[in-house]
Amino acid sequence: MDLSELRQEYAGQPLDVDSVDPNPFQQFTAWFDQASTAELLEPNAMVLATVDADGRPSQRTVLLKYFDESGFVFFTNYGSRKAQQIAANSHVSLLFQWLPLHRQVEVSGVATKVSSAESLKYFLKRPRESQLGAWVSRQSEVVSHRQLLEAKLNEMKTRFGKGEIPLPSFWGGYRIVPTRLEFWQGGPGRLHDRIEFRSDGQGGWGRSRLSP
């Protein structure tokens, strides 16, 4: 299949070193708010890239649940493939794609588990069906057919009844502490704007323009 003619011209407000917020978290907040206001489908969706102990990469889409200057947080099963790879190599990458706005943000950093108390605080906010789902799924393990999952769900419903569903010991959050962020704004003629922030390791950030 020849896709050479499948193309779209990008246009947007120019992005420059002097026009971005010197704090990358504030810049991310501004762009995230604009993506949310534009009613994009799941603006908090992000591609998480990990590598295993042999350096083989893997990617999947996860949902950002909250962020601040301490990092970006998502939740998962601690037995999943992504969790196993993070255990082998905690250096990860995130990619937010807000293509209708001709924007992307790449975040590189280190993943660490959040505390059980922090995981519980979020878990209690989840819909009950999602809480049950966390107990049902042994994420990334082979399952022969869907009926097994449905049977396990019914088992969990019976087990917990109408009472509070506890936090599974095998489920919780990760915080990605960034060392690098790149803000990408599509431009005409493929002359895109790319502004990179790099941590100085002491709480400060340097920023530079990258060639498209």
Side-chain angles (χ1 to χ4, degrees):
M1 182 182 294
D2 183 1
L3 305 179
S4 59
E5 297 303 318
L6 183 61
R7 67 183 68 248
Q8 179 175 336
E9 189 69 7
Y10 296 125
Q13 184 175 355
L15 191 66
D16 197 73
V17 170
D18 296 328
S19 67
V20 297
D21 194 295
N23 182 323
F25 295 100
Q26 293 300 321
Q27 180 64 38
F28 182 86
T29 298
W31 272 23
F32 186 86
D33 288 346
Q34 290 170 17
S36 298
T37 300
E39 298 183 347
L40 304 187
L41 178 63
E42 294 194 301
N44 60 325
M46 58 188 186
V47 176
L48 168 68
T50 57
V51 294
D52 65 15
D54 296 319
R56 292 172 296 196
S58 181
Q59 296 176 312
R60 75 289 291 158
T61 299
V62 298
L63 297 179
L64 176 69
K65 288 305 175 182
Y66 50 88
F67 68 93
D68 55 28
E69 296 203 8
S70 67
F72 300 81
V73 179
F74 73 94
F75 293 84
T76 189
N77 186 302
Y78 284 146
S80 64
R81 181 178 60 182
K82 70 177 84 64
Q84 294 175 29
Q85 292 183 344
I86 288 172
N89 186 334
S90 61
H91 293 274
V92 305
S93 176
L94 305 173
L95 181 66
F96 295 86
Q97 290 185 310
W98 300 317
L99 296 183
L101 300 180
H102 304 162
R103 288 176 175 174
Q104 297 184 91
V105 179
E106 181 187 2
V107 180
S108 301
V110 176
T112 59
K113 286 183 179 180
V114 305
S115 68
S116 296
E118 188 171 345
S119 292
L120 176 60
K121 182 179 180 180
Y122 169 71
F123 185 78
L124 294 176
K125 294 180 180 179
R126 300 185 94 201
R128 189 174 182 83
E129 289 296 318
S130 296
Q131 292 178 347
L132 289 169
W135 277 96
V136 169
S137 175
R138 298 294 180 176
Q139 196 173 96
S140 301
E141 291 186 5
V142 174
V143 59
S144 58
H145 51 79
R146 184 177 178 83
Q147 285 78 7
L148 289 177
L149 296 175
E150 294 171 348
K152 186 68 173 179
L153 176 60
N154 289 330
E155 177 188 332
M156 291 298 105
K157 287 180 177 179
T158 300
R159 175 179 174 181
F160 297 121
K162 296 185 180 299
E164 184 176 286
I165 300 172
L167 173 71
S169 61
F170 51 82
W171 191 95
Y174 284 99
R175 175 173 284 103
I176 312 305
V177 181
T179 56
R180 175 185 176 274
L181 298 94
E182 181 186 321
F183 295 84
W184 183 98
Q185 175 70 65
R190 296 302 188 257
L191 293 181
H192 313 306
D193 291 321
R194 297 173 60 193
I195 305 300
E196 177 189 64
F197 288 80
R198 283 190 176 271
S199 170
D200 63 8
Q202 299 177 338
W205 295 88
R207 59 190 190 274
S208 306
R209 170 177 285 276
L210 303 181
S211 182

